[in-house]
């Protein structure tokens, strides 16, 4: 069994997303501001991951969000093909 963990840092501290469920996401490459993911942990913590415009990293920062925001999240950016 792998002992790898998916730990992210939010402004409120670290969150373990190893066993989290992805509620919504967009992981289209090339990466950019259109990328996001919304997670729910088994403890009921909701985390949103966003991309600040980095092409080679899918998600660059994370923040805890309320359940209602997580369930109703609509991402404002879309991938624009050049």
């Amino acid at each position: 069994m792998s002992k790898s963990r998916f730990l992210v840092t939010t402004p409120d501290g670290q969150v373990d997303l190893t066993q989290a469920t992805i509620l919504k996401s967009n992981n289209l490459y090339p990466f950019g501001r259109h990328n996001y993911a919304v997670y729910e942990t088994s403890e009921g913590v909701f985390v949103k991951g966003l991309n600040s415009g980095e092409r080679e990293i899918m998600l660059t920062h994370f923040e805890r969000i309320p359940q209602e925001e997580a369930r109703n999240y609509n991402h404002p950016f879309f991938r624009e093909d050049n």
Side-chain angles (χ1 to χ4, degrees):
M1 182 165 91
S2 174
K3 294 185 181 193
S4 296
R5 296 178 75 189
F6 180 24
L7 301 174
V8 298
T9 301
T10 72
D12 302 316
Q14 211 170 49
V15 178
D16 186 348
L17 297 179
T18 307
Q19 299 296 321
T21 301
I22 299 173
L23 302 178
K24 300 178 178 192
S25 72
N26 175 339
N27 62 358
L28 295 175
Y29 185 86
F31 299 135
R33 292 179 61 154
H34 63 275
N35 294 111
Y36 74 95
V38 178
Y39 301 90
E40 178 181 5
T41 71
S42 57
E43 295 82 20
V45 175
F46 295 86
V47 175
K48 175 174 62 177
L50 299 171
N51 183 309
S52 63
E54 296 291 328
R55 182 180 167 90
E56 299 302 321
I57 301 170
M58 185 180 144
L59 302 173
T60 58
H61 59 281
F62 298 86
E63 58 188 68
R64 292 180 196 219
I65 59 174
Q67 178 179 357
E68 185 174 333
E69 181 180 341
R71 301 237 184 257
N72 297 308
Y73 183 72
N74 279 322
H75 195 61
F77 300 102
F78 298 92
R79 185 172 87 176
E80 295 180 20
D81 295 323
N82 294 331

